[in-house]
Amino acid sequence: MARRLLLLLLLGAGPLADGLFVTDYFTRTPRKLSPFRSFASIELFHFRIPEDTLVAVWNLITFKEQGGTFGDRCPDRSVTVYFRSGAPPIIAPLHTHFPRDTAVPGSFTLTLTWSLPNRTTGVFNITSPLPGDWFLAAHLPKDEGKISVKGLYEECQYLFQPQLVVQRLVGIAVLYPGYISAQSIAPHNRSSLYKVFVPSHTSRVLVQVLGCRAGDRSAASCPLWLKVRAKAPPLHNSTALDCRERAPCQLALERPLWHHWYYVLLEKALGVPGPIRFQLTVQLTDCSRPGLSRAPVLLPAAAMNMPQSFGALVSLSLGESLPPAVPKGTQPPPAGPPPGECCWPIRPTLRNELDTFSVHFYIFFGPNVSVPPNRPAVFGISLLPVLDSGGVLNLELKLNVSSLRGENVTVFGCLTHEVPLMAGDNASVTCETGSLAGFLLSVNSTASLARLRIPYPQTGSWYLSLRSLCATEHGFEPCANVTAEVYLRTYLSPCIEDCGPYGQCKLLSTNNYLYAACECKAGWNGWGCTDSAEAFSYGFQLLATLLLCLSNLMFLPPVAIALRSRYLLEASVYVFTMFFSTFYHACDQPGIAVFCIMEYDVLQFCDFLGSLMSVWVTVIAMARLQPLAKQVLYLLGAMLLSMALQLDRHGLWNLLGPSLFAVGIMAIAWTARSIRRRHCYPPTWQRWAFYLGPGALIAAGAVLLYACVETEENYFYIHSIWHMLIAGSVGFLLPPRPKAAGHLGPLPRRKGCGYRLCVNELEELGLVGPATASVSSVCAS
């Protein structure tokens, strides 16, 4: 695997394979994957790719485990992995609908299949990846939603571990805007890479190749390819120019990204063996001062390989003086390019943090803003790195119709990332140019309200450009003397509309990275729990709630039997179980048919405790112990069960352990009684056939339903049947009324018997009271 990754790194470098490279390795701890239900069930991994990276290779390792060993017998389940730069990927593997007015950016997707019985690997490589944050999301396919008892069997676990290997180029030459530098490409090299920093308020980047010489002679046509790309080294599909077809060789980029590195790649044309010498210059146009180029900026030689802070150093205005020294190999700049379109003032916003992913952006002298007819109104919104990318960016635009004065005015809003849109009228209508595309909003007198939601937005600077245009026969044109007034609201929220009534917004974390996601219920799906394709109707929700609650009324017969047989402690436990199970399930419903009398956690604890105590006291009562021993076991069981439930409420041994212990006590008591009496206890076949046998079968059926049949889809009626079966088994298994001391006198000892065994058969059947029963002695030698 190491050789394979190294080969991929060398091949991915392509024409940039000449230079000094540094290889970095990153890994993450393996995590257990879950079937996809919502974004809250995925595993998210966060990486950071350094600048000047030429190749990034992800090694994706997936393996199975079962019971702490290799899961060779586990079925093969495909693993889907998503990649996105800047923010977590937005996915919809179940093809659910997104809420209205929601923008969904794309992401890379990869599906892993199994090549070995218990292990598989996949490789995903990206040439010239964007630097900064990268996120991976992985999950298993959706399952049938079976509800399994924790600890019943060894569960198959699918573990996923991503590893990242990056290869970055060290010592990339930095170009100074406005100065000509002499460069060359050696015969053994295929290309040469440079970078230049583009500060804010730059409207145009012009890259020129001058004085091209192939070998020792001047070339009529320069045998070079010129490629330019923002943030990362150029690719095959980046903005390119064949210098053989253009003289002079120059490439212009309109409206470049602000405050980013731009990479310039000069690549030899095929069939050029010797060296190539040329001069290279980059000119930046400052849109805040139309008609003038940005002043050249020089730094000492030690700053040739500048960090990201270089952007703050070069953002100099024209009024500042230049450094006196000029590096060797540079010449004064040529005449500046024609002036471009000016950029308008950008109004900042005030950031007010209320809570995690709860941030409001206030506009000075807002929130009502005026949009003049002759120019756009531009606003800046700054999202903090990492901290703000895990929520939802919300934008709301509302037009004040009374400000239009009867004109047919439409206000267009264009939200762009890292550079504002300051183009002509057509670009304002479409919110896109040749190199820039954003999110479009529009309001008019008919539709005066527009919203935009961007889940997991990329961090950095966002710009909103508002432009008012009037509709005419020839399209949209600038209005005459109408200043439109709009209400602007921008804020960050954890989830879209707090996931609505059928969802819960959860705050999740991975490697100290926080993000929020909706977890839907009652059959609702989608990013904001707004997809009702499989949603439960209100009648279905009400039916499910009533079944789960009213099925607990089956405990009324066991309560009556216990009271009739004078089992007062047992009857109080059954009443406790019936009460809290009813209101726990009334509060546990996923839809809107919910009723909670106290906190959910308290109701759940009391429901689980009552269920286990019902089993405990029933089995202990069947053991027919002395009153003092029985009371001690009741109290001890209540304390131990409370402790066990506090440790783990869903563990198998919380249910099975106390039950087996109580059955063991009952078995010991029955065995001792049988040995002492030399007869099987209970002694009558009617007790076994009509009470113990049916009660045990009903209880076993309830346990099988609970452990093997119950799923999320059939939960409401299978669990209701579980309630009724458990309550019915208690009515059968509860022993008859205990004999009262002193009601019967001493029994005569029959001659010839080695011992005396007195059994009231009618009492064992629970048909009559011991005070009115006749005594029938059964003797055996």
Side-chain angles (χ1 to χ4, degrees):
M1 180 56 65
R3 294 181 179 178
R4 183 181 178 186
L5 293 177
L6 182 60
L7 179 61
L8 286 172
L9 288 173
L10 294 177
L11 293 177
L16 303 177
D18 301 309
L20 178 61
F21 294 96
V22 174
T23 301
D24 297 323
Y25 175 79
F26 308 94
T27 186
R28 294 293 179 264
T29 305
R31 294 191 207 159
K32 175 186 173 183
L33 297 181
S34 302
F36 182 84
R37 297 179 184 176
S38 65
F39 198 84
S41 62
I42 62 99
E43 289 297 329
L44 188 66
F45 299 87
H46 179 207
F47 290 90
R48 186 167 183 85
I49 293 182
E51 289 184 339
D52 305 335
T53 296
L54 299 182
V55 184
V57 179
W58 272 280
N59 183 30
L60 310 174
I61 304 174
T62 309
F63 50 95
K64 308 173 187 175
E65 281 189 0
Q66 187 177 21
T69 59
F70 293 110
D72 295 338
R73 298 182 180 179
C74 295
D76 293 343
R77 305 186 67 182
S78 60
V79 177
T80 307
V81 187
Y82 304 84
F83 301 81
R84 188 187 174 201
S85 170
I90 303 173
I91 62 176
L94 304 181
H95 307 289
T96 54
H97 298 292
F98 284 86
R100 293 183 56 186
D101 308 320
T102 302
V104 183
S107 59
F108 302 102
T109 307
L110 181 66
T111 301
L112 303 179
T113 56
W114 294 90
S115 57
L116 296 175
N118 56 17
R119 182 185 177 93
T120 186
T121 57
V123 176
F124 183 76
N125 64 302
I126 301 179
T127 304
S128 297
L130 297 177
D133 299 311
W134 278 78
F135 295 87
L136 276 68
H139 65 82
L140 297 174
K142 183 181 179 181
D143 58 4
E144 65 278 6
K146 185 179 183 301
I147 301 176
S148 58
V149 180
K150 183 179 178 181
L152 182 60
Y153 55 87
E154 297 293 345
E155 181 183 2
C156 288
Q157 296 185 356
Y158 299 82
L159 302 176
F160 178 75
Q161 180 183 22
Q163 299 173 345
L164 174 62
V165 182
V166 299
Q167 191 174 62
R168 54 189 176 91
L169 186 60
V170 178
I172 299 179
V174 178
L175 300 176
Y176 292 96
Y179 278 91
I180 299 176
S181 59
Q183 305 291 339
S184 64
I185 301 179
H188 61 277
N189 289 342
R190 297 173 54 189
S191 61
S192 183
L193 183 64
Y194 311 89
K195 64 181 182 179
V196 59
F197 192 84
V198 177
S200 301
H201 300 92
T202 300
S203 62
R204 191 168 186 260
V205 176
L206 179 65
V207 182
Q208 292 179 305
V209 180
L210 308 172
C212 184
R213 298 173 61 88
D216 297 331
R217 296 175 299 176
S218 298
S221 61
C222 188
L224 290 175
W225 275 91
L226 173 61
K227 298 181 180 181
V228 181
R229 186 188 178 202
K231 300 183 182 181
L235 297 168
H236 65 280
N237 58 350
S238 300
T239 303
L241 176 67
D242 189 354
C243 293
R244 294 173 297 182
E245 301 176 355
R246 183 73 60 89
C249 181
Q250 60 182 17
L251 185 61
L253 300 177
E254 304 294 337
R255 286 171 291 279
L257 302 182
W258 291 355
H259 210 76
H260 282 289
W261 287 102
Y262 267 75
Y263 291 79
V264 180
L265 175 66
L266 275 301
E267 185 178 353
K268 283 184 181 179
L270 296 178
V272 181
I276 299 179
R277 295 179 177 84
F278 54 91
Q279 293 177 330
L280 187 61
T281 180
V282 178
Q283 298 183 50
L284 307 181
T285 302
D286 189 347
C287 65
S288 63
R289 298 168 181 255
L292 296 176
S293 298
R294 187 175 292 275
V297 177
L298 302 179
L299 294 175
M304 286 297 290
N305 296 317
M306 289 164 286
Q308 290 184 350
S309 59
F310 172 64
L313 298 175
V314 301
S315 298
L316 302 177
S317 64
L318 285 174
E320 300 183 17
S321 60
L322 299 177
V326 177
K328 295 181 179 180
T330 64
Q331 300 178 10
E341 184 178 358
C342 65
C343 55
W344 305 105
I346 299 176
R347 296 177 58 178
T349 55
L350 177 63
R351 178 187 177 95
N352 183 20
E353 296 187 10
L354 304 177
D355 202 347
T356 305
F357 301 132
S358 182
V359 181
H360 285 253
F361 299 95
Y362 295 104
I363 301 173
F364 292 98
F365 308 105
N368 296 320
V369 297
S370 298
V371 183
N374 56 345
R375 62 180 178 86
V378 186
F379 304 90
I381 303 169
S382 180
L383 300 185
L384 300 181
V386 179
L387 296 178
D388 293 340
S389 61
V392 180
L393 178 61
N394 300 269
L395 184 64
E396 183 178 321
L397 199 64
K398 187 175 182 180
L399 176 63
N400 185 2
V401 181
S402 61
S403 65
L404 303 182
R405 301 177 183 177
E407 297 288 339
N408 190 8
V409 178
T410 300
V411 177
F412 294 93
C414 184
L415 183 66
T416 53
H417 188 225
E418 296 177 334
V419 60
L421 180 66
M422 299 180 183
D425 301 334
N426 293 332
S428 299
V429 174
T430 60
C431 194
E432 62 181 22
T433 61
S435 59
L436 179 65
F439 303 98
L440 178 65
L441 299 91
S442 64
V443 289
N444 51 37
S445 58
T446 305
S448 60
L449 180 64
R451 291 188 178 93
L452 176 65
R453 304 181 181 98
I454 305 178
Y456 298 156
Q458 292 185 324
T459 56
S461 297
W462 287 81
Y463 299 94
L464 176 64
S465 302
L466 299 179
R467 184 72 186 272
S468 62
L469 298 174
C470 289
T472 63
E473 297 178 355
H474 307 288
F476 289 97
E477 296 180 355
C479 300
N481 293 316
V482 178
T483 299
E485 184 178 286
V486 295
Y487 169 83
L488 179 61
R489 184 187 179 204
T490 308
Y491 61 97
L492 274 175
S493 62
C495 301
I496 297 178
E497 294 183 355
D498 202 22
C499 302
Y502 294 101
Q504 181 182 6
C505 187
K506 288 193 170 183
L507 187 62
L508 309 170
S509 64
T510 172
N511 294 334
N512 296 326
Y513 175 78
L514 294 177
Y515 63 102
C518 288
E519 188 173 66
C520 306
K521 52 189 178 181
W524 290 75
N525 294 303
W527 194 266
C529 301
T530 55
D531 191 336
S532 59
E534 302 177 359
F536 301 156
S537 64
Y538 178 75
F540 183 86
Q541 298 177 41
L542 186 61
L543 175 63
T545 303
L546 291 177
L547 277 176
L548 289 169
C549 294
L550 298 181
S551 60
N552 288 284
L553 297 179
M554 280 295 295
F555 272 97
L556 288 177
V559 170
I561 294 174
L563 291 176
R564 179 178 178 273
S565 301
R566 298 181 183 176
Y567 288 106
L568 301 181
L569 288 177
E570 291 80 355
S572 63
V573 172
Y574 301 151
V575 171
F576 179 91
T577 302
M578 179 178 63
F579 178 83
F580 280 102
S581 179
T582 298
F583 286 100
Y584 164 68
H585 286 289
C587 185
D588 187 48
Q589 293 309 299
I592 59 177
V594 180
F595 179 72
C596 299
I597 62 172
M598 57 183 68
E599 292 185 3
Y600 175 84
D601 187 71
V602 176
L603 290 173
Q604 185 187 65
F605 177 82
C606 294
D607 173 57
F608 286 19
L609 179 62
S611 301
L612 296 180
M613 281 298 298
S614 297
V615 176
W616 176 263
V617 299
T618 302
V619 178
I620 295 299
M622 293 171 62
R624 294 275 197 171
L625 301 175
Q626 295 294 327
L628 180 60
K630 185 171 69 171
Q631 293 172 7
V632 170
L633 287 176
Y634 282 177
L635 183 59
L636 184 62
M639 292 187 293
L640 294 179
L641 289 175
S642 300
M643 178 195 68
L645 289 176
Q646 192 66 24
L647 293 175
D648 186 6
R649 297 182 187 178
H650 300 279
L652 173 65
W653 289 103
N654 286 347
L655 174 64
L656 196 58
S659 302
L660 292 179
F661 185 65
V663 170
I665 294 176
M666 182 189 69
I668 293 174
W670 283 11
T671 302
R673 190 173 288 109
S674 298
I675 293 175
R676 189 173 65 251
R677 298 179 179 181
R678 296 188 180 183
H679 192 280
C680 181
Y681 182 85
T684 59
W685 65 269
Q686 292 93 337
R687 182 69 186 172
W688 287 97
F690 298 129
Y691 293 93
L692 297 182
L697 290 177
I698 294 174
V703 172
L704 290 177
L705 282 179
Y706 179 79
C708 303
V709 181
E710 197 170 79
T711 62
E712 292 181 355
E713 294 183 357
N714 62 20
Y715 173 80
F716 75 97
Y717 59 85
I718 291 296
H719 201 76
S720 300
I721 296 174
W722 148 268
H723 286 166
M724 294 185 286
L725 292 180
I726 287 296
S729 66
V730 169
F732 280 95
L733 295 176
L734 198 64
R737 180 186 304 180
K739 292 183 295 184
H743 283 202
L744 297 178
L747 298 176
R749 184 181 183 89
R750 184 174 298 181
K751 296 181 179 180
C753 292
Y755 67 95
R756 182 180 61 193
L757 178 63
C758 301
V759 177
N760 185 350
E761 297 183 1
L762 296 180
E763 180 188 353
E764 288 294 337
L765 291 177
L767 301 179
V768 298
T772 59
S774 61
V775 179
S776 174
S777 299
V778 180
C779 300
S781 60

